[in-house]
Amino acid sequence: MPTNPQTVTSPASFDAENRVIEALYADVVRRNKGETEFHQAVHEVLETLGPVLARRPEFADARIIERICEPERQLMFRVPWTDDSGTIHVNRGFRVEFSSALGPYKGGLRFHPSVNLGIVKFLGFEQIFKNALTGLSIGGGKGGSDFDPKGSSDAEIMRFCQSFMTELYRHLGEHTDVPAGDIGVGGREIGYLFGQYKRITNRYESGVLTGKGLGWGGAQVRTEATGYGCVLFTAEMLRSRGEGLEGRRVAVSGSGNVALYAIEKAQQLGATVVTCSDSSGYVVDEKGIDLELLKEVKEVRRGRVADYAELRGSHVRFVEAAGEGTGVWGVPCDVALPCATQNELDETDALALVRGGVKAVAEGANMPTTPAAVRVFQEAGVAFGPGKAANAGGVATSALEMQQNASRDSWTFARTEERLAGIMRHIHDSCATTAERYGHPGNYVVGANIAGFELVADAMLAQGLV
Ligand code: NDP
């Protein structure tokens, strides 16, 4: 996997079926200059919506697409903090409250040096449709900061989180906007953020953040949910082709929250996972990843995959990241699960995977596959699950956490996992039936975009011009 994921220029053309949307997309590019990831995410949705507007002219009359592409609110703020030596740093905080048509704004916070407004908008835009697909009452939002938690002490991270929340708290609320984690924001950060919210507001408002610790309002399975859900979605795609995960060889990228639990569920379902990665390189473990060891390296030692390779034994190959180009995706596999970051799997990688015999690809990360790579998979007949469907298990379980907080209840692991499996099946089936309804059987990209869009658009129509 490349250290700097491939930069993608704004996509340009639409096919004949979707040409009606072209002018709307051109307007989005003009109004949001330089935000290439946002353009890419909008293009990917809009290029499937032409047939919907043809069948439902009331959506065009109400200018639903123009409205859905414009966030309801965009917040940017200063986050000053001091490091352990007393040096002052100034970061930028973001929260994009994109759509509240279906419920309170809901979506994670990302702390990573690459974060900018365009990235937060791309993630927030995706989140609208993903959240709709879960069938639960949650709107779409996303936020974060260009703060780099890597190498910071716990005390520094706490001070940063406190400063970040000191501004953000006024925009949040269990019925208003409910953030969660994402890259660089795990249980530790959610704890510090929640503590500061509680202190400032003098309210124990459990439902204001999700991804909390189990002892103080968190839900069982939330930690595992995105990775588990991605594998459950993959299993559904394979099942609809009369196949399964048992005995399959799986390649995973990343070694963070999503990757670890994608590995765990794939192993539980009888697959052998042979890779994982981080921004410094990837490992190939032909005996199958030793998950206990990988978790210890990542979660206890806060180490790197290179440390895993060293501890695991001489049969493991560590390959250092060598700029852009084929990394982990050069390893032949039956199933590929990109679980690291956006645009990490490009056309060259897709061609290598197809040559290696890949049968299914599901996005654990948000938009990890470039548009050209998606086309390669679709033309080769590979089952391809887009992130807004395949990684929706995380936010779905967050919505279950909100339900439990609202009723001051807590469910068992088994009950929550059963709900998650039901939700992933529902998402798979609604993508599949919608794709079929619009004449694209087996195309989960079309199915996910249209199914999510119709739900949000119908609610917007009903709620009037707001
Ligand atoms: P983590 O921070 O836990 O892990 C991210 C992993 O991806 C790390 O291994 C990291 O390596 C790698 N990575 C991140 N950025 C880059 C980069 N620019 N280049 C190469 N490698 C990179 O994040 P999560 O696992 O939570 O999130 C992973 C993806 O899944 C993201 O796209 C996120 O938006 C998406 N997602 C997450 C959900 C969740 O519930 N957590 C829900 C839905 C989607 P390194 O440590 O070297 O940076």
Side-chain angles (χ1 to χ4, degrees):
M1 189 181 55
T3 311
N4 296 310
Q6 286 89 332
T7 39
V8 174
T9 49
S10 302
S13 61
F14 286 79
D15 62 20
E17 205 182 17
N18 294 293
R19 203 132 286 151
V20 61
I21 309 268
E22 200 145 11
L24 301 180
Y25 174 69
D27 210 40
V28 169
V29 173
R30 185 183 57 75
R31 291 164 64 108
N32 301 278
K33 287 197 177 57
E35 297 176 354
T36 48
E37 288 86 357
F38 180 52
H39 303 167
Q40 185 185 338
V42 170
H43 188 280
E44 192 259 338
V45 172
L46 261 50
E47 74 173 345
T48 58
L49 295 184
V52 184
L53 292 194
R55 279 191 205 185
R56 305 280 310 269
E58 66 273 26
F59 289 160
D61 293 344
R63 304 193 70 170
I64 295 289
I65 291 188
E66 291 92 320
R67 285 158 61 195
I68 227 170
C69 291
E70 187 67 28
E72 290 178 18
R73 193 172 296 110
Q74 306 183 50
L75 309 161
M76 283 173 68
F77 51 94
R78 181 171 65 201
V79 189
W81 59 282
T82 50
D83 67 22
D84 290 343
S85 70
T87 305
I88 292 174
H89 299 264
V90 180
N91 283 96
R92 186 171 287 176
F94 302 88
R95 186 72 181 164
V96 173
E97 298 180 333
F98 229 115
S99 169
S100 60
L102 297 179
Y105 310 107
K106 182 86 198 85
L109 299 171
R110 176 177 292 190
F111 291 169
H112 193 272
S114 64
V115 167
N116 58 40
L117 184 61
I119 289 197
V120 178
K121 280 164 71 176
F122 123 60
L123 292 164
F125 186 75
E126 289 271 300
Q127 199 81 47
I128 304 172
F129 307 102
K130 179 190 306 189
N131 292 3
L133 284 172
T134 65
L136 303 164
S137 306
I138 39 179
K142 199 82 187 187
S145 173
D146 56 2
F147 169 69
D148 187 359
K150 229 176 272 162
S152 298
S153 68
D154 279 1
E156 288 170 334
I157 286 177
M158 181 178 74
R159 283 196 295 277
F160 177 82
C161 288
Q162 290 176 340
S163 181
F164 184 85
M165 186 52 92
T166 300
E167 171 56 33
L168 190 63
Y169 88 95
R170 69 187 89 245
H171 308 289
L172 305 183
E174 62 187 343
H175 302 297
T176 310
D177 186 349
V178 182
D182 190 77
I183 291 177
V185 179
R188 172 182 54 173
E189 290 76 16
I190 293 292
Y192 295 147
L193 291 163
F194 183 75
Q196 185 71 351
Y197 182 86
K198 181 167 65 71
R199 185 179 195 192
I200 297 175
T201 60
N202 193 30
R203 281 163 66 89
Y204 204 105
E205 192 182 336
S206 299
V208 74
L209 284 169
T210 57
K212 299 181 293 295
L214 288 178
W216 45 280
Q220 297 282 356
V221 194
R222 176 59 190 94
T223 306
E224 295 85 354
T226 307
Y228 275 23
C230 177
V231 173
L232 294 170
F233 189 90
T234 308
E236 291 294 329
M237 290 199 300
L238 289 170
R239 198 167 58 85
S240 72
R241 296 172 166 220
E243 297 173 19
L245 264 169
E246 175 99 42
R248 298 287 185 193
R249 189 179 150 91
V250 177
V252 170
S253 66
S255 51
N257 170 266
V258 179
L260 287 179
Y261 293 99
I263 295 171
E264 184 161 289
K265 182 52 75 182
Q267 291 179 342
Q268 285 172 6
L269 296 183
T272 304
V273 182
V274 290
T275 66
C276 64
S277 71
D278 58 30
S279 52
S280 53
Y282 67 93
V283 296
V284 186
D285 185 342
E286 290 293 346
K287 291 186 183 163
I289 298 287
D290 177 342
L291 189 59
E292 283 319 303
L293 177 61
L294 181 61
K295 278 186 183 171
E296 194 200 306
V297 168
K298 293 296 298 182
E299 291 173 347
V300 182
R301 304 176 185 219
R302 297 207 183 265
R304 318 286 294 155
V305 295
D307 302 323
Y308 167 86
E310 205 175 308
L311 290 163
R312 173 79 161 128
S314 58
H315 71 281
V316 176
R317 197 153 52 89
F318 171 70
V319 184
E320 218 170 300
E324 299 196 33
T326 310
V328 69
W329 308 121
V331 179
C333 59
D334 304 312
V335 172
L337 304 176
C339 296
T341 194
Q342 64 271 3
N343 293 323
E344 55 157 305
L345 193 167
D346 70 3
E347 189 176 11
T348 313
D349 298 326
L351 288 166
L353 282 167
V354 169
R355 270 198 307 277
V358 75
K359 293 194 162 36
V361 178
E363 296 185 320
N366 284 312
M367 211 170 71
T369 319
T370 66
V374 175
R375 270 192 299 281
V376 169
F377 292 136
Q378 289 176 334
E379 281 163 16
V382 173
F384 177 76
K388 61 173 78 66
N391 71 35
V395 75
T397 308
S398 277
L400 302 182
E401 183 173 335
M402 290 162 71
Q403 281 184 26
Q404 291 166 71
N405 293 152
S407 58
R408 300 196 188 281
D409 194 2
S410 71
W411 306 348
T412 61
F413 194 96
R415 177 179 175 195
T416 318
E417 195 181 6
E418 201 181 309
R419 282 291 308 269
L420 171 65
I423 291 167
M424 295 316 296
R425 209 172 307 121
H426 161 79
I427 295 173
H428 172 273
D429 293 351
S430 79
C431 293
T433 53
T434 306
E436 218 165 297
R437 188 155 55 85
Y438 277 88
H440 295 277
N443 188 329
Y444 294 96
V445 174
V446 166
N449 287 343
I450 297 183
F453 175 78
E454 284 184 331
L455 286 162
V456 179
D458 278 326
M460 288 174 74
L461 268 189
Q463 291 168 15
L465 187 57
V466 292

